[in-house]
CSV table of all heavy atoms in Angstrom, one decimal:
chain,number,residue,atom,x,y,z
A,1,LEU,N,3.5,2.1,-0.8
A,1,LEU,CA,2.6,3.1,-0.7
A,1,LEU,C,1.5,2.6,0.3
A,1,LEU,O,1.7,1.7,1.0
A,1,LEU,CB,2.0,3.4,-2.1
A,1,LEU,CG,3.0,3.8,-3.2
A,1,LEU,CD1,2.3,4.0,-4.4
A,1,LEU,CD2,3.7,5.1,-2.7
A,2,TYR,N,0.4,3.3,0.3
A,2,TYR,CA,-0.8,2.8,1.1
A,2,TYR,C,-2.0,3.3,0.3
A,2,TYR,O,-2.1,4.2,-0.3
A,2,TYR,CB,-0.7,3.5,2.5
A,2,TYR,CG,-0.9,4.9,2.6
A,2,TYR,CD1,-2.2,5.4,2.8
A,2,TYR,CD2,0.1,5.8,2.6
A,2,TYR,CE1,-2.4,6.9,2.9
A,2,TYR,CE2,-0.1,7.1,2.7
A,2,TYR,CZ,-1.3,7.7,2.8
A,2,TYR,OH,-1.6,9.0,2.9
A,3,ALA,N,-3.2,2.6,0.7
A,3,ALA,CA,-4.5,3.0,0.3
A,3,ALA,C,-5.2,3.8,1.3
A,3,ALA,O,-5.2,3.2,2.5
A,3,ALA,CB,-5.4,1.8,-0.1
A,4,ALA,N,-5.6,4.9,1.2
A,4,ALA,CA,-6.1,5.9,2.2
A,4,ALA,C,-7.2,5.2,3.0
A,4,ALA,O,-8.1,4.6,2.3
A,4,ALA,CB,-6.5,7.2,1.7
A,5,MET,N,-7.2,5.3,4.3
A,5,MET,CA,-8.2,4.8,5.2
A,5,MET,C,-8.9,5.9,5.9
A,5,MET,O,-8.3,6.8,6.5
A,5,MET,CB,-7.6,3.8,6.2
A,5,MET,CG,-8.6,3.2,7.2
A,5,MET,SD,-7.8,2.0,8.2
A,5,MET,CE,-6.5,2.9,9.1
A,6,GLY,N,-10.2,6.0,5.7
A,6,GLY,CA,-10.9,7.1,6.5
A,6,GLY,C,-10.5,8.4,5.8
A,6,GLY,O,-10.6,8.7,4.6
A,7,SER,N,-10.1,9.4,6.7
A,7,SER,CA,-9.8,10.7,6.3
A,7,SER,C,-8.3,10.9,5.9
A,7,SER,O,-7.9,12.1,5.8
A,7,SER,CB,-10.3,11.7,7.4
A,7,SER,OG,-9.7,11.4,8.6
A,8,GLU,N,-7.5,9.9,5.8
A,8,GLU,CA,-6.1,10.0,5.5
A,8,GLU,C,-6.0,10.7,4.1
A,8,GLU,O,-6.9,10.6,3.3
A,8,GLU,CB,-5.4,8.6,5.4
A,8,GLU,CG,-5.3,8.0,6.7
A,8,GLU,CD,-4.6,6.6,6.5
A,8,GLU,OE1,-4.6,6.0,5.5
A,8,GLU,OE2,-4.1,6.0,7.6
A,9,PRO,N,-4.8,11.5,3.9
A,9,PRO,CA,-4.6,12.0,2.5
A,9,PRO,C,-4.5,10.9,1.6
A,9,PRO,O,-3.8,9.9,1.8
A,9,PRO,CB,-3.4,12.9,2.7
A,9,PRO,CG,-2.7,12.3,4.0
A,9,PRO,CD,-3.8,11.8,4.8
A,10,THR,N,-5.1,11.1,0.4
A,10,THR,CA,-5.1,10.1,-0.6
A,10,THR,C,-3.8,10.1,-1.5
A,10,THR,O,-3.4,11.3,-1.8
A,10,THR,CB,-6.3,10.1,-1.5
A,10,THR,OG1,-6.2,9.0,-2.5
A,10,THR,CG2,-6.6,11.4,-2.1
A,11,LEU,N,-3.3,9.0,-2.0
A,11,LEU,CA,-2.2,9.0,-3.0
A,11,LEU,C,-2.6,8.8,-4.4
A,11,LEU,O,-1.8,8.4,-5.2
A,11,LEU,CB,-1.2,7.9,-2.5
A,11,LEU,CG,-0.4,8.0,-1.2
A,11,LEU,CD1,0.2,6.8,-0.7
A,11,LEU,CD2,0.6,9.2,-1.3
A,12,ASP,N,-3.8,9.0,-4.7
A,12,ASP,CA,-4.3,8.8,-6.1
A,12,ASP,C,-3.4,9.4,-7.1
A,12,ASP,O,-3.1,8.7,-8.2
A,12,ASP,CB,-5.7,9.2,-6.2
A,12,ASP,CG,-6.8,8.5,-5.4
A,12,ASP,OD1,-6.3,7.5,-4.7
A,12,ASP,OD2,-7.9,8.7,-5.4
A,13,ARG,N,-3.2,10.7,-7.1
A,13,ARG,CA,-2.5,11.3,-8.2
A,13,ARG,C,-1.0,10.8,-8.2
A,13,ARG,O,-0.5,10.7,-9.3
A,13,ARG,CB,-2.4,12.8,-7.9
A,13,ARG,CG,-1.7,13.6,-9.0
A,13,ARG,CD,-1.9,15.1,-8.9
A,13,ARG,NE,-3.3,15.4,-9.3
A,13,ARG,CZ,-3.6,16.7,-9.6
A,13,ARG,NH1,-2.7,17.7,-9.5
A,13,ARG,NH2,-4.8,16.9,-9.9
A,14,PHE,N,-0.4,10.5,-7.0
A,14,PHE,CA,1.0,10.0,-7.1
A,14,PHE,C,1.0,8.6,-7.7
A,14,PHE,O,1.9,8.4,-8.4
A,14,PHE,CB,1.5,9.9,-5.7
A,14,PHE,CG,2.9,9.3,-5.6
A,14,PHE,CD1,4.1,10.1,-5.9
A,14,PHE,CD2,3.0,8.0,-5.3
A,14,PHE,CE1,5.2,9.5,-6.0
A,14,PHE,CE2,4.2,7.4,-5.3
A,14,PHE,CZ,5.4,8.1,-5.7
A,15,VAL,N,0.0,7.8,-7.4
A,15,VAL,CA,0.0,6.4,-8.0
A,15,VAL,C,0.0,6.6,-9.6
A,15,VAL,O,0.8,5.8,-10.2
A,15,VAL,CB,-1.2,5.6,-7.5
A,15,VAL,CG1,-1.3,4.4,-8.3
A,15,VAL,CG2,-1.0,5.4,-6.0
A,16,LEU,N,-0.8,7.4,-10.1
A,16,LEU,CA,-0.8,7.6,-11.6
A,16,LEU,C,0.4,8.0,-12.1
A,16,LEU,O,1.0,7.6,-13.1
A,16,LEU,CB,-1.9,8.6,-11.9
A,16,LEU,CG,-3.3,8.1,-11.7
A,16,LEU,CD1,-4.4,9.2,-12.0
A,16,LEU,CD2,-3.6,6.9,-12.5
A,17,GLU,N,1.1,9.0,-11.3
A,17,GLU,CA,2.4,9.6,-11.8
A,17,GLU,C,3.6,8.5,-11.7
A,17,GLU,O,4.3,8.3,-12.6
A,17,GLU,CB,2.9,10.8,-10.9
A,17,GLU,CG,4.2,11.4,-11.2
A,17,GLU,CD,4.4,12.0,-12.6
A,17,GLU,OE1,3.4,12.3,-13.2
A,17,GLU,OE2,5.5,12.1,-13.0
A,18,ALA,N,3.5,7.8,-10.6
A,18,ALA,CA,4.5,6.7,-10.4
A,18,ALA,C,4.4,5.7,-11.5
A,18,ALA,O,5.4,5.1,-12.1
A,18,ALA,CB,4.3,6.0,-9.1
A,19,ALA,N,3.1,5.2,-11.9
A,19,ALA,CA,2.9,4.2,-13.0
A,19,ALA,C,3.4,4.8,-14.2
A,19,ALA,O,4.0,4.1,-15.1
A,19,ALA,CB,1.4,4.0,-13.1
A,20,HIS,N,3.3,6.1,-14.5
A,20,HIS,CA,3.7,6.7,-15.8
A,20,HIS,C,5.3,6.7,-15.8
A,20,HIS,O,5.8,6.6,-16.9
A,20,HIS,CB,3.3,8.3,-15.8
A,20,HIS,CG,3.8,9.0,-17.0
A,20,HIS,ND1,3.2,8.8,-18.3
A,20,HIS,CD2,4.7,9.9,-17.1
A,20,HIS,CE1,3.8,9.6,-19.1
A,20,HIS,NE2,4.8,10.3,-18.5
A,21,ARG,N,5.9,6.9,-14.7
A,21,ARG,CA,7.4,6.7,-14.6
A,21,ARG,C,7.8,5.3,-14.8
A,21,ARG,O,9.1,5.1,-14.9
A,21,ARG,CB,7.8,7.4,-13.3
A,21,ARG,CG,7.6,8.9,-13.2
A,21,ARG,CD,8.1,9.3,-11.8
A,21,ARG,NE,7.9,10.7,-11.6
A,21,ARG,CZ,8.9,11.7,-11.8
A,21,ARG,NH1,10.0,11.3,-12.3
A,21,ARG,NH2,8.6,12.9,-11.6
A,22,GLY,N,7.0,4.3,-14.6
A,22,GLY,CA,7.4,3.0,-14.7
A,22,GLY,C,7.8,2.4,-13.4
A,22,GLY,O,8.4,1.3,-13.2
A,23,TRP,N,7.4,3.1,-12.3
A,23,TRP,CA,7.9,2.6,-10.9
A,23,TRP,C,6.9,1.4,-10.5
A,23,TRP,O,5.7,1.4,-10.9
A,23,TRP,CB,7.7,3.7,-9.9
A,23,TRP,CG,8.8,4.8,-10.1
A,23,TRP,CD1,9.7,4.9,-11.2
A,23,TRP,CD2,8.9,6.0,-9.3
A,23,TRP,NE1,10.4,6.1,-11.0
A,23,TRP,CE2,9.9,6.7,-9.9
A,23,TRP,CE3,8.2,6.5,-8.3
A,23,TRP,CZ2,10.3,8.0,-9.4
A,23,TRP,CZ3,8.6,7.8,-7.7
A,23,TRP,CH2,9.6,8.5,-8.3
A,24,ASN,N,7.4,0.5,-9.7
A,24,ASN,CA,6.7,-0.5,-9.1
A,24,ASN,C,6.0,-0.1,-7.8
A,24,ASN,O,6.7,0.3,-6.9
A,24,ASN,CB,7.5,-1.8,-8.8
A,24,ASN,CG,8.3,-2.3,-10.1
A,24,ASN,OD1,7.6,-2.5,-11.2
A,24,ASN,ND2,9.5,-2.6,-10.0
A,25,CYS,N,4.7,-0.1,-7.9
A,25,CYS,CA,3.9,0.3,-6.7
A,25,CYS,C,3.3,-0.8,-5.8
A,25,CYS,O,2.7,-1.7,-6.5
A,25,CYS,CB,2.7,1.2,-7.1
A,25,CYS,SG,3.2,2.8,-7.9
A,26,PHE,N,3.6,-0.8,-4.6
A,26,PHE,CA,3.1,-1.9,-3.7
A,26,PHE,C,2.3,-1.3,-2.6
A,26,PHE,O,2.5,-0.1,-2.1
A,26,PHE,CB,4.3,-2.6,-3.0
A,26,PHE,CG,5.2,-3.4,-3.9
A,26,PHE,CD1,6.0,-2.9,-4.8
A,26,PHE,CD2,5.1,-4.8,-3.9
A,26,PHE,CE1,6.8,-3.6,-5.7
A,26,PHE,CE2,5.8,-5.6,-4.8
A,26,PHE,CZ,6.8,-5.0,-5.6
A,27,PHE,N,1.3,-2.1,-2.1
A,27,PHE,CA,0.4,-1.7,-1.2
A,27,PHE,C,0.2,-2.6,0.0
A,27,PHE,O,0.4,-3.8,-0.2
A,27,PHE,CB,-1.0,-1.4,-1.8
A,27,PHE,CG,-1.0,-0.3,-2.8
A,27,PHE,CD1,-0.6,-0.6,-4.1
A,27,PHE,CD2,-1.4,1.0,-2.5
A,27,PHE,CE1,-0.6,0.4,-5.0
A,27,PHE,CE2,-1.3,2.0,-3.4
A,27,PHE,CZ,-1.0,1.7,-4.7
A,28,PRO,N,0.0,-2.2,1.2
A,28,PRO,CA,-0.1,-3.1,2.4
A,28,PRO,C,-1.3,-4.0,2.4
A,28,PRO,O,-2.4,-3.5,2.1
A,28,PRO,CB,0.1,-2.2,3.6
A,28,PRO,CG,-0.6,-0.9,3.1
A,28,PRO,CD,-0.2,-0.8,1.5
A,29,VAL,N,-1.1,-5.2,2.9
A,29,VAL,CA,-2.2,-6.1,3.2
A,29,VAL,C,-1.9,-6.8,4.6
A,29,VAL,O,-0.8,-7.2,5.0
A,29,VAL,CB,-2.2,-7.3,2.3
A,29,VAL,CG1,-3.5,-8.1,2.4
A,29,VAL,CG2,-2.1,-6.9,0.8
A,30,MET,N,-2.9,-6.6,5.4
A,30,MET,CA,-2.8,-7.4,6.8
A,30,MET,C,-3.2,-8.8,6.6
A,30,MET,O,-4.3,-9.2,6.3
A,30,MET,CB,-3.8,-6.7,7.7
A,30,MET,CG,-3.6,-5.1,7.9
A,30,MET,SD,-1.9,-4.8,8.2
A,30,MET,CE,-1.7,-5.5,9.9
A,31,VAL,N,-2.1,-9.6,6.7
A,31,VAL,CA,-2.3,-11.1,6.4
A,31,VAL,C,-2.4,-12.0,7.7
A,31,VAL,O,-1.5,-11.8,8.6
A,31,VAL,CB,-1.2,-11.6,5.5
A,31,VAL,CG1,-1.3,-13.0,5.1
A,31,VAL,CG2,-1.0,-10.7,4.3
A,32,LYS,N,-3.4,-12.9,7.7
A,32,LYS,CA,-3.5,-13.8,8.9
A,32,LYS,C,-2.5,-14.9,8.5
A,32,LYS,O,-2.8,-15.7,7.6
A,32,LYS,CB,-4.9,-14.4,9.0
A,32,LYS,CG,-6.0,-13.4,9.3
A,32,LYS,CD,-7.3,-14.0,9.4
A,32,LYS,CE,-8.5,-12.9,9.5
A,32,LYS,NZ,-9.8,-13.6,9.4
A,33,GLU,N,-1.5,-15.0,9.3
A,33,GLU,CA,-0.5,-16.1,9.1
A,33,GLU,C,-0.9,-17.3,10.1
A,33,GLU,O,-1.8,-17.2,10.9
A,33,GLU,CB,0.9,-15.7,9.5
A,33,GLU,CG,1.3,-14.6,8.4
A,33,GLU,CD,2.7,-14.1,8.6
A,33,GLU,OE1,3.3,-14.4,9.8
A,33,GLU,OE2,3.4,-13.6,7.7
A,34,ALA,N,-0.1,-18.3,10.0
A,34,ALA,CA,-0.4,-19.5,10.9
A,34,ALA,C,-0.2,-19.1,12.3
A,34,ALA,O,0.6,-18.2,12.7
A,34,ALA,CB,0.7,-20.6,10.5
A,35,PRO,N,-1.0,-19.6,13.2
A,35,PRO,CA,-1.0,-19.2,14.6
A,35,PRO,C,0.2,-19.6,15.3
A,35,PRO,O,1.0,-20.4,14.8
A,35,PRO,CB,-2.2,-20.0,15.3
A,35,PRO,CG,-2.7,-20.9,14.2
A,35,PRO,CD,-2.0,-20.6,13.0
A,36,THR,N,0.6,-18.9,16.4
A,36,THR,CA,1.7,-19.1,17.1
A,36,THR,C,1.6,-20.5,17.8
A,36,THR,O,0.5,-21.0,17.9
A,36,THR,CB,1.9,-18.0,18.3
A,36,THR,OG1,0.8,-18.1,19.1
A,36,THR,CG2,2.0,-16.7,17.6
A,37,PRO,N,2.7,-21.1,18.3
A,37,PRO,CA,2.7,-22.3,19.0
A,37,PRO,C,1.6,-22.3,20.2
A,37,PRO,O,1.1,-23.3,20.5
A,37,PRO,CB,4.0,-22.6,19.6
A,37,PRO,CG,4.9,-21.8,18.6
A,37,PRO,CD,4.1,-20.6,18.1
A,38,GLN,N,1.4,-21.1,20.7
A,38,GLN,CA,0.3,-21.0,21.9
A,38,GLN,C,-1.0,-20.9,21.3
A,38,GLN,O,-2.0,-20.8,22.1
A,38,GLN,CB,0.6,-19.8,22.7
A,38,GLN,CG,2.0,-19.9,23.4
A,38,GLN,CD,3.3,-19.7,22.6
A,38,GLN,OE1,3.2,-18.9,21.6
A,38,GLN,NE2,4.4,-20.3,22.9
A,39,GLY,N,-1.2,-20.9,20.0
A,39,GLY,CA,-2.5,-20.8,19.3
A,39,GLY,C,-3.0,-19.5,19.2
A,39,GLY,O,-4.2,-19.3,18.7
A,40,SER,N,-2.2,-18.4,19.4
A,40,SER,CA,-2.7,-17.1,19.3
A,40,SER,C,-2.6,-16.6,17.8
A,40,SER,O,-1.7,-17.1,17.0
A,40,SER,CB,-1.8,-16.0,20.1
A,40,SER,OG,-1.7,-16.4,21.5
């Protein structure tokens, strides 16, 4: 799924329904990983 950013449509009601159904809900995270060999 996703957490609404700015004016995006929100998934609040769906998250509650999915939890009620027992579904596993995942959300995105922007992760800083180890830099490339070039240091970027």
Side-chain angles (χ1 to χ4, degrees):
L1 305 175
Y2 69 88
M5 180 172 63
S7 56
E8 289 177 340
T10 176
L11 289 169
D12 291 0
R13 178 168 292 191
F14 176 80
V15 173
L16 294 178
E17 175 66 21
H20 178 74
R21 292 175 181 269
W23 295 359
N24 299 315
C25 296
F26 290 77
F27 296 85
V29 188
M30 305 307 297
V31 180
K32 297 177 187 175
E33 297 184 338
T36 64
Q38 293 74 32
S40 302

